[in-house]
Amino acid sequence: MSSFPVSALDRVAKLYWRKNALRRSRRAALGSFRHWDREGESALVEALNTSFDGKDVAIVGNAPNTLGRGFGPHIDAHDLVVRLNLVIPTDHASDLGQRTDFRFVGCTLLDRHRPQIEKLENTSTIITTEKNVDFYDTMNKPVTVYDRRLPQHVMRWLKPLCPEVLSGNNAGPPPRSGVVFLALLLAMAKPVNVVLYGFSQTLDDATTALHYDKGDIITYEPDDYKRNHCDPSLEIRILLALQQRGLIGIN
């Protein structure tokens, strides 16, 4: 008869599962990077390891479910704050915080985005798809680049972390920028805590967002959304499974 209480054994089992699941996820991600064999990926992995290992991280998305909830001070209290795409929180600082240490830009940038790029903070590190490299070069903005094929691989990286959700081959459009960065962070770095703000938690959240410039709430056409991204209900189930596993927190 074991002398350990069941709760203690459960905690040991969960820690063991988490360690091995993260190891399998990292192995899958490194396999993708080796296949691409690019200097950019090596720089990206090094940047993630150097900056995020051992840190308490906030990832701030653009779903309007943060408005009116006063999360700003909580967001700014994290060791690192990562923001997605181009929203600048100036008009919603009490809800979105003010700090930006990293900005993950997964959207394809067009000429209409130039005024917003000019406004972005120069103190943050920008991580973006190689599709946007020439755009940033014309604006003298240094960036860390990832291969444009990376979003197509993240479901495979997430599969060891939430096998109850990703049990098939999950072929189809990739998830949105927030889930792409989250998968990259969990696979390639060792943060001590990751908390999500402004991520879709309902299907209504998934078709609305804060406008990157004015901060107004805009609505996407569901058909346009599904043409470019995976089923939003799948993203939501992935996040809930990661939360239940203790890998992330969601606000």
Side-chain angles (χ1 to χ4, degrees):
M1 177 77 64
S2 172
S3 60
F4 289 100
V6 174
S7 59
L9 291 175
D10 284 346
R11 286 197 296 271
V12 171
K14 287 179 180 178
L15 288 172
Y16 180 79
W17 176 90
R18 173 175 172 156
K19 181 178 180 180
N20 282 278
L22 288 169
R23 184 182 295 122
R24 291 194 299 273
S25 179
R26 181 180 179 86
R27 190 180 303 126
L30 286 173
S32 301
F33 283 11
R34 280 195 294 270
H35 176 70
W36 298 328
D37 192 26
R38 296 172 62 91
E39 286 186 11
E41 269 61 53
S42 297
L44 177 57
V45 172
E46 182 178 353
L48 288 169
N49 290 336
T50 301
S51 300
F52 289 91
D53 281 4
K55 296 297 175 58
D56 175 17
V57 182
I59 306 178
V60 186
N62 302 321
N65 56 23
T66 51
L67 298 184
R69 300 178 69 183
F71 285 139
H74 299 283
I75 290 171
D76 287 340
H78 288 268
D79 295 334
L80 293 173
V81 178
V82 182
R83 298 192 187 274
L84 303 176
N85 294 321
L86 303 181
V87 169
I88 299 173
T90 306
D91 295 332
H92 300 289
S94 62
D95 296 319
L96 302 178
Q98 301 181 72
R99 285 178 47 214
T100 305
D101 300 297
F102 285 80
R103 189 173 284 277
F104 184 84
V105 182
C107 61
T108 300
L109 297 177
L110 304 171
D111 281 340
R112 70 170 184 266
H113 296 127
R114 287 183 181 276
Q116 190 70 359
I117 299 296
E118 293 281 6
K119 298 177 188 176
L120 292 183
E121 59 288 325
N122 291 319
T123 55
S124 64
T125 299
I126 297 173
I127 301 173
T128 191
T129 168
E130 63 179 339
K131 293 183 293 184
N132 294 329
V133 170
D134 292 340
F135 186 97
Y136 277 105
D137 283 347
T138 64
M139 303 190 72
N140 296 315
K141 293 271 187 180
V143 296
T144 299
V145 178
Y146 64 84
D147 192 288
R148 67 178 65 202
R149 294 167 290 184
L150 184 149
Q152 300 289 345
H153 290 251
V154 298
M155 293 302 197
R156 186 159 57 87
W157 307 353
L158 287 168
K159 191 172 182 178
L161 305 179
C162 47
E164 68 275 26
V165 177
L166 299 174
S167 56
N169 59 15
N170 301 108
R176 289 174 294 173
S177 298
V179 177
V180 171
F181 180 76
L182 176 62
L184 184 63
L185 179 64
L186 293 177
M188 303 310 304
K190 297 177 181 178
V192 295
N193 189 43
V194 179
V195 181
L196 311 184
Y197 301 85
F199 276 61
S200 300
Q201 299 180 46
T202 68
L203 292 179
D204 286 340
D205 290 342
T207 54
T208 57
L210 295 175
H211 188 272
Y212 63 84
D213 182 14
K214 300 176 183 178
D216 298 333
I217 298 175
I218 58 173
T219 301
Y220 298 108
E221 290 296 330
D223 289 343
D224 291 340
Y225 176 96
K226 292 178 180 178
R227 189 178 302 119
N228 298 309
H229 302 290
C230 71
D231 188 328
S233 65
L234 177 60
E235 280 192 8
I236 293 169
R237 293 199 308 273
I238 288 171
L239 296 181
L240 290 176
L242 295 176
Q243 182 185 38
Q244 290 170 356
R245 297 283 192 181
L247 291 164
I248 63 171
I250 303 176
N251 281 322

